[in-house]
C-alpha cells in the first residue's frame, strides 16, 4: 500500500474517532442539561401535576385539586399569600418558589399524574387561623417562630386572598397577594432596639446605663431641630431603662448625638441593613425573598439621622428581620437563628428529602450586647406588657407614622422568656390611630394559640 494511501486511512480514522468523540460529548452534555434543567422547565409548565403542602399537624395548606366540595370555603384564607397557589399569579410564596419540590416529574421517568410529591411545613394552621381571625377588620401582619430551632409557627398577613375564590385580581385590596411579614415597613420605635445595640457596641453597657438625659416634651438638637416626644409633658430625667420603657424620642436623639456616626453605620451594616445605598446580603426563607432593612444616616446632629435611628425618616425593616434579631437577644448570643418553613419534603416516589436543619447567621452584635439588651427588654416587659399579654416577655413597641403622617401603624416585637415556649415574634397593625386593636391582644392571642 502506498504511503499516501496510508496517510489517508489514518486521517480518516482520526476524523471518525473525532466525530464519535464529539457525538458522545454532545450526548453527555444533552443528558446533563436534561437532568439538571428539566425541572426548571417543568416548574414553569402547567402540564405537571403538583403534590400537597401540609402544616406540622398534617392539615392541608395547599392542594392543587382543592375546591369547596372538598374543603370549607375559607379553609385557606389565612395562608393564601404565604403558601400561594399554582395559578402563577402570585410570586414569592412557598408554592411558587418550591414548585420543583412539588412537581410530580422525574427527568428519567417523566410525569407521574399519581405522584406523591409533598412538602411538610412548620406552620401551625390552627394557630395561624386564630391569629388571622383576631385581626378582625384590621390589616397588618404577625409572625412568630421558635428562636431555638428556627421553625415558623405563625405567619399571617392581611388583607389576604382566598385561593378557593380568587375572582378578579384587580378587585382585591392592595397588598392581598404579598405576605407583608417579608417586606419592609416603617419600624417606628422598634428601631430603638438596633440603636441600643449600636450604642452598647460602641460605648459598652456600663457607659450607656450611666447616661442621663432630660425630656421636657420637646428637645432642640445641636442644629436647632425639634425632636418631639409623644408625651407633651415630657418624662424628666431618664436612664436607658426608663427611656426604653417610655420610648422617649428626646432621650434617644441625645444618645445618638453622643455616638460616632461610623460606629452606628458599622453596627447597622453588620446587622444586615443597607445603609446609604450599601448592598445588604440576600436573605431567603425556603426560596422566599425577605427584604433586609435599609436606612440613610448622614450626621448624628441632624434631625433625619436621629429620626432614622428612631425608626422614621428613611428607615424601613421587615417584620421578619425584626423578629430574627430577637432570637439572638433571647439566647444571649451573637448569632441569629435562621427561620424556616419547610421541615421536610417527599419526592414523587415517597422518598424523604430537604429535611430542615437549624442554622445561624451573625447577629451583628456580640453576645454581651445581646444579654444587655435582653435585660432592658425584659424590664420593659415587666413594667408594661406581662400582665396584658399573659406571658413573661421582653418587648419593644413602636408607633410608625406612615402616609406622610396621616396614619399610624402599631408594632410590637419581642420574645417569650420561657424555655418551654421559646418564641420570638413581631406584630404590625396598620392604620390604627384610633387604637381600635392592640398589639398586646394579637400577641397574647398568638402566644396562647401556640402554647395550646
Amino acid at each position: 500500500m502506498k504511503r499516501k494511501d496510508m496517510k489517508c486511512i489514518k486521517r480518516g480514522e482520526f476524523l471518525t474517532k473525532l466525530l464519535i468523540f464529539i457525538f458522545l460529548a454532545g450526548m453527555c452534555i444533552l443528558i446533563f442539561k436534561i437532568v439538571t434543567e428539566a425541572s426548571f422547565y417543568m416548574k414553569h409548565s402547567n402540564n405537571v401535576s403538583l403534590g400537597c403542602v401540609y402544616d406540622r399537624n398534617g392539615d392541608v395548606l395547599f392542594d392543587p385539586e382543592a375546591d369547596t366540595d372538598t374543603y370549607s370555603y375559607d379553609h385557606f384564607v389565612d395562608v393564601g399569600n404565604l403558601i400561594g397557589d399554582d395559578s402563577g399569579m402570585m410570586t414569592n410564596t412557598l408554592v411558587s418558589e418550591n414548585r420543583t419540590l412539588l412537581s410530580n416529574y422525574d427527568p428519567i421517568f417523566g410525569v407521574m399524574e399519581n405522584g406523591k410529591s409533598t412538602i411538610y411545613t412548620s406552620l401551625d394552621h390552627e394557630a395561624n387561623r386564630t391569629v388571622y381571625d383576631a385581626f378582625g377588620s384590621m390589616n397588618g401582619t404577625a409572625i412568630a417562630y421558635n428562636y431555638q430551632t428556627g421553625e415558623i409557627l405563625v405567619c399571617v398577613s392581611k388583607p389576604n386572598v382566598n385561593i378557593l375564590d380568587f375572582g378578579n385580581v384587580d378587585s382585591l385590596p392592595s397588598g392581598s397577594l404579598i405576605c407583608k411579614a417579608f417586606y419592609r415597613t416603617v419600624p417606628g420605635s422598634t428601631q430603638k432596639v438596633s440603636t441600643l445595640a449600636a450604642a452598647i457596641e460602641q460605648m459598652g453597657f456600663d457607659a450607656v446605663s450611666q447616661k442621663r438625659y432630660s425630656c421636657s416634651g420637646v428637645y432642640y438638637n445641636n442644629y436647632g431641630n425639634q425632636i418631639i416626644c409623644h408625651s407633651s409633658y415630657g418624662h424628666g430625667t431618664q436612664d436607658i431603662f426608663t427611656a426604653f420603657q417610655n420610648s422617649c424620642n428626646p432621650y434617644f436623639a441625645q444618645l445618638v448625638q453622643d455616638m460616632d456616626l461610623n460606629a452606628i453605620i458599622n453596627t447597622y451594616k453588620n446587622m444586615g441593613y443597607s445603609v446609604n445605598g450599601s448592598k445588604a446580603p440576600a436573605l431567603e426563607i425556603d426560596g422566599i425573598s425577605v427584604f433586609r432593612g435599609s436606612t440613610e444616616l448622614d450626621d448624628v446632629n441632624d434631625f433625619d439621622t436621629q429620626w432614622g435611628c428612631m425608626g422614621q425618616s428613611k428607615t424601613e425593616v421587615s417584620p421578619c428581620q425584626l423578629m430574627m434579631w430577637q432570637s439572638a437577644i433571647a439566647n444571649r448570643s451573637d448569632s441569629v437563628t435562621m427561620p424556616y418553613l419547610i421541615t421536610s419534603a417527599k419526592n414523587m416516589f415517597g422518598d424523604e428529602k430537604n429535611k430542615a436543619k437549624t442554622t445561624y447567621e451573625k447577629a451583628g452584635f456580640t453576645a454581651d450586647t445581646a444579654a444587655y439588651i435582653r435585660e432592658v427588654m425584659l424590664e420593659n416587659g415587666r413594667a408594661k406588657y406581662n400582665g396584658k399579654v399573659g406571658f413573661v416577655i421582653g418587648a419593644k413597641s413602636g408607633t410608625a407614622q406612615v402616609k406622610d403622617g396621616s396614619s399610624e401603624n402599631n408594632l410590637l416585637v419581642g420574645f417569650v422568656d420561657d424555655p418551654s415556649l421559646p418564641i420570638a415574634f413581631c406584630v404590625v397593625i396598620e392604620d390604627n390611630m384610633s387604637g381600635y386593636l392592640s398589639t398586646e391582644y394579637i400577641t397574647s392571642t398568638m402566644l396562647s394559640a401556640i402554647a395550646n
Side-chain angles (χ1 to χ4, degrees), residues 3 25 69 88 148-149 194 203 231 258 274 278 311 332 346 372 375 421 436 442:
R3 187 186 297 269
D69 292 331
Q148 298 287 3
T149 65
S194 297
M203 306 177 189
S231 172
D258 282 350
S274 167
S278 66
R332 304 179 185 90
K346 288 184 178 180
Y372 290 132
E375 184 180 342
L421 191 67
Y436 169 76
I442 297 294

Side-chain angles (χ1 to χ4, degrees), residues 316-385:
E316 293 184 319
V317 191
S318 72
C320 181
Q321 195 173 13
L322 288 170
M323 175 193 72
M324 287 166 57
W325 289 317
Q326 294 300 306
S327 69
I329 294 166
N331 289 324
R332 304 179 185 90
S333 171
D334 65 352
S335 297
V336 163
T337 306
M338 299 303 290
Y340 62 83
L341 279 163
I342 297 178
T343 56
S344 67
K346 288 184 178 180
N347 63 17
M348 59 193 290
F349 307 108
D351 300 323
E352 189 175 52
K353 56 195 294 189
N354 289 65
K355 194 174 178 70
K357 295 187 297 184
T358 301
T359 59
Y360 306 90
E361 75 168 26
K362 288 297 182 182
F365 45 80
T366 66
D368 285 344
T369 295
Y372 290 132
I373 298 173
R374 184 178 186 276
E375 184 180 342
V376 173
M377 293 189 70
L378 283 173
E379 182 59 34
N380 190 36
R382 282 190 288 268
K384 299 178 65 175
Y385 296 107

Side-chain angles (χ1 to χ4, degrees), residues 99-397:
R99 192 176 171 104
T100 300
L101 280 180
L102 280 177
S103 296
N104 291 314
Y105 168 81
D106 183 87
I108 297 176
F109 296 98
V111 176
M112 285 184 62
E113 291 297 330
N114 298 317
K116 299 178 181 179
S117 294
T118 307
I119 287 177
Y120 299 95
T121 73
S122 58
L123 205 68
D124 185 324
H125 193 195
E126 184 175 355
N128 208 71
R129 181 55 188 266
T130 298
V131 176
Y132 176 88
D133 291 341
F135 271 90
S137 61
M138 303 296 287
N139 292 326
T141 186
I143 182 169
Y145 85 144
N146 184 315
Y147 58 72
Q148 298 287 3
T149 65
E151 300 165 281
I152 296 176
L153 301 170
V154 168
C155 188
V156 166
S157 179
K158 290 191 71 176
N160 213 316
V161 58
N162 186 353
I163 64 171
L164 293 181
D165 185 22
F166 215 115
N168 185 355
V169 174
D170 295 333
S171 67
L172 293 172
S174 176
S176 297
L177 299 181
I178 64 170
C179 182
K180 297 173 185 174
F182 305 134
Y183 291 78
R184 295 189 192 109
T185 189
V186 181
S189 287
T190 60
Q191 180 68 17
K192 290 169 182 172
V193 175
S194 297
T195 300
L196 177 57
I200 297 172
E201 288 286 288
Q202 178 183 338
M203 306 177 189
F205 185 68
D206 288 343
V208 172
S209 63
Q210 291 170 14
K211 294 283 184 182
R212 301 289 189 276
Y213 300 112
S214 180
C215 168
S216 61
V218 177
Y219 171 70
Y220 290 87
N221 68 14
N222 289 342
Y223 289 165
N225 307 128
Q226 280 190 349
I227 302 293
I228 299 175
C229 188
H230 62 85
S231 172
S232 58
Y233 297 101
H235 296 112
T237 301
Q238 303 170 97
D239 61 12
I240 186 59
F241 287 94
T242 53
F244 196 86
Q245 291 170 28
N246 293 323
S247 202
C248 181
N249 293 334
Y251 179 96
F252 276 87
Q254 293 171 83
L255 179 64
V256 170
Q257 269 181 180
D258 282 350
M259 295 171 66
D260 176 73
L261 177 65
N262 289 329
I264 301 174
I265 291 174
N266 287 339
T267 299
Y268 277 17
K269 283 184 176 180
N270 290 338
M271 292 176 69
Y273 287 87
S274 167
V275 184
N276 299 335
S278 66
K279 187 174 182 180
L283 175 60
E284 287 188 351
I285 298 175
D286 297 314
I288 298 172
S289 296
V290 180
F291 289 81
R292 297 275 193 176
S294 64
T295 190
E296 294 184 13
L297 306 175
D298 298 316
D299 183 342
V300 293
N301 298 294
D302 178 63
F303 173 85
D304 285 333
T305 294
Q306 293 171 5
W307 208 225
C309 289
M310 291 182 273
Q312 293 289 163
S313 189
K314 302 287 181 66
T315 301
E316 293 184 319
V317 191
S318 72
C320 181
Q321 195 173 13
L322 288 170
M323 175 193 72
M324 287 166 57
W325 289 317
Q326 294 300 306
S327 69
I329 294 166
N331 289 324
R332 304 179 185 90
S333 171
D334 65 352
S335 297
V336 163
T337 306
M338 299 303 290
Y340 62 83
L341 279 163
I342 297 178
T343 56
S344 67
K346 288 184 178 180
N347 63 17
M348 59 193 290
F349 307 108
D351 300 323
E352 189 175 52
K353 56 195 294 189
N354 289 65
K355 194 174 178 70
K357 295 187 297 184
T358 301
T359 59
Y360 306 90
E361 75 168 26
K362 288 297 182 182
F365 45 80
T366 66
D368 285 344
T369 295
Y372 290 132
I373 298 173
R374 184 178 186 276
E375 184 180 342
V376 173
M377 293 189 70
L378 283 173
E379 182 59 34
N380 190 36
R382 282 190 288 268
K384 299 178 65 175
Y385 296 107
N386 292 350
K388 297 177 182 178
V389 174
F391 295 85
V392 176
I393 65 171
K396 183 69 190 82
S397 64

